[in-house]
Amino acid sequence: MTRDWITAWLEERIDLWPLRHLIQKKVIPVHRHTVWYYFGGMTLFLFGIQVATGILLTLYYRPSGEEAYESVQFIMTEVQFGWLIRSIHSWSANLMVLTMMIHLFSVYLTQAYRKPRELTWVTGMLLFGVVLFFGFSGYLLPWNVLSYFATKVGTEIAGQVPLVGHVLMRLLRGGDEVTGATVSRFYGMHIAILPALMTMILGLHLFLVQKQGMSVSPAVERAQAGQPLRTMPFVPNFLLRDLFGWFVTLGLLAALAALFPWELGQKADPFAPAPAGIRPEWYFVYMFQSLKYIPAKIGPFDGEVLGVLGFSLGGLLLLLVPFLDRRGASGEPSPLFRWIGIGIIAYIVVFTVLGYFAPAFK
C-alpha cells in the first residue's frame, strides 16, 4: 500500500518518461553481492556534499600565493562554522575516494564490466581518474607546507612522462616551479574544468546504469540457474535503503569533522627545506612508495620514468579490461582476471602501509 501511494504521488508530478520508467519498472537483483550496489550511490552522495561545501568555501577563498593560506585561516577562525565546512569538505573528499575505490573493485571482481556494460566500466574508470585529480588539485589550495611539497613531488613525477613530461609539468605548475600561479591554475581546474568533466561523464554513466540495469556476477547466475532471480523494486525499497546508507555516511562524516577537524598547518615557504616524511594523500601513497624502491637507473633508462610508464600502462590495461577479458565477455568466470584484481588490491594495501610505516629509502 505504501509503495503504491508513493508511486502514484510521484507519477502525478513527473511527466518525464525515463523517471516514470524508473519509478514503475526498475528492479534491483537480490543476492549475496547486493550490498556492493550501495557504494555507487554513496559515492554520488559524497560528491554532492563536495559540491555544496565547495560552493560555500569559494565565497571566502582567494586563489593566490599571497592570500590563499590567510583566506583559509580566516574561514577556520572567523567565519561562523567555517572550520566545520572545511573539515566536512576535506573528510568527504577522502571518503569519496574510498567509496569509489570499493565500488570500482567490487564491479571488477563481480565482472560487472561484461558485455553489454563495457562503456559503463570505461566511464566509471574515467570518473575515478577525475576524482583522483580532484583530490590532487584540491590538496594544494590551502597553500601550507605539506600541500606545497606534496604538489612539488607530484608534478615532478608527472614530469617524468616520456616525450610530454616537461610540457605536462609546466602546464600543471603554470611555470617551472610551484608558485602562486600554480594555486590559481589548480583552483581553476578544481572549480571549473573538473566539475564540467565530472558532470558530463557522470551523466553518461548514470544513463548507462539506468538503461542496462544492475549486473549479476557469473557465480550468482550459476547458482540461480533455472530459477528466477529475486528482485526488489528500486522505488521505494532500494531507494530507502540507499537513503539510510547516506544518513549513516552523513553521521560518520559529521563525527569525523567535529572530532578530528582538518588542520591547516603552517604556510608554505618555497625556500624552506622539505619536512621529513613528506608524502601525498593516502590514495597516492602506494605509487609514491613504489617509486622509492625503483633504482635510479635500470640499464640506460631512468628508474622513475619506467615507474611512471608502469603505472600508466597499468591504468590503461585496467581501463581496457572488458575488451581484454574475452572469457569473461562470454559470461564464463575468468580466474586470471579475478586474481589480477585481488593482486592489485593487495599491492595497493601493502604499499600504502609501507608508505606510512617503512623507513624512507630516498
Side-chain angles (χ1 to χ4, degrees), residues 56-68:
L56 293 175
L57 292 173
T58 59
L59 299 177
Y60 296 95
Y61 180 75
R62 298 175 182 175
S64 69
E66 294 75 23
E67 298 180 298

Side-chain angles (χ1 to χ4, degrees), residues 34-309:
T34 299
V35 65
W36 302 116
Y37 293 153
Y38 296 100
F39 283 93
M42 204 171 292
T43 305
L44 180 62
F45 172 68
L46 289 167
F47 175 65
I49 291 178
Q50 284 282 282
V51 172
T53 54
I55 290 172
L56 293 175
L57 292 173
T58 59
L59 299 177
Y60 296 95
Y61 180 75
R62 298 175 182 175
S64 69
E66 294 75 23
E67 298 180 298
Y69 181 88
E70 285 75 12
S71 65
V72 177
Q73 191 175 53
F74 179 80
I75 289 171
M76 297 184 66
T77 58
E78 301 296 331
V79 177
Q80 191 171 20
F81 296 110
W83 64 272
L84 182 62
I85 297 299
R86 178 175 181 254
S87 290
I88 289 176
H89 190 75
S90 299
W91 276 112
S92 62
N94 283 268
L95 288 179
M96 181 172 68
V97 175
L98 178 61
T99 57
M100 194 159 197
M101 291 181 75
I102 294 172
H103 180 55
L104 186 147
F105 283 108
S106 66
V107 169
Y108 181 96
L109 292 177
T110 57
Q111 294 179 276
Y113 52 76
R114 294 174 298 151
K115 187 177 181 179
R117 295 179 174 84
E118 299 95 335
L119 186 56
T120 308
W121 169 263
V122 170
T123 55
M125 283 292 299
L126 292 177
L127 285 173
F128 185 58
V130 172
V131 165
L132 290 181
F133 202 77
F134 258 122
F136 181 66
S137 60
Y139 193 57
L140 176 67
L141 299 185
W143 194 240
N144 56 30
V145 172
L146 291 178
S147 66
Y148 170 81
F149 284 103
T151 302
K152 187 174 182 180
V153 171
T155 51
E156 285 174 355
I157 292 173
Q160 298 299 318
V161 177
L163 302 179
V164 298
H166 183 68
V167 175
L168 180 60
M169 184 177 72
R170 283 183 54 84
L171 180 65
L172 290 172
R173 290 181 173 183
D176 291 321
E177 300 294 333
V178 177
T179 62
T182 314
V183 177
S184 299
R185 183 154 298 196
F186 273 39
Y187 180 71
M189 290 187 289
H190 195 73
I191 70 162
I193 298 174
L194 294 177
L197 285 175
M198 186 80 171
T199 302
M200 289 186 294
I201 303 172
L202 181 60
L204 177 58
H205 186 75
L206 293 176
F207 169 76
L208 292 171
V209 171
Q210 166 60 21
K211 181 179 179 181
Q212 297 164 349
M214 298 294 190
S215 175
V216 178
S217 70
V220 172
E221 289 178 349
R222 293 196 307 274
Q224 296 288 329
Q227 302 176 9
L229 187 66
R230 288 180 56 211
T231 61
M232 62 175 162
F234 180 81
V235 178
N237 302 52
F238 184 84
L239 181 59
L240 290 177
R241 289 170 172 81
D242 225 3
L243 290 174
F244 176 76
W246 296 2
F247 181 78
V248 172
T249 303
L250 184 62
L252 174 63
L253 185 59
L256 289 171
L259 298 177
F260 306 99
W262 210 263
E263 297 182 358
L264 179 57
Q266 298 180 341
K267 185 175 181 178
D269 181 2
F271 300 103
I278 191 73
R279 65 175 68 90
E281 281 283 54
W282 64 268
Y283 39 87
F284 292 120
V285 166
Y286 71 94
M287 290 188 282
F288 179 70
Q289 188 67 19
S290 299
L291 293 175
K292 289 183 178 182
Y293 296 137
I294 300 176
K297 286 289 182 179
I298 301 177
F301 303 104
D302 187 272
E304 282 196 350
V305 171
L306 293 180
V308 172
L309 276 176

Side-chain angles (χ1 to χ4, degrees), residues 311-338:
F311 288 125
S312 302
L313 181 61
L316 179 61
L317 292 176
L318 201 57
L319 179 71
L320 298 177
V321 158
F323 312 101
L324 299 174
D325 183 10
R326 306 312 305 169
R327 187 174 177 182
S330 64
E332 294 294 325
S334 181
L336 173 61
F337 281 86
R338 176 179 292 274

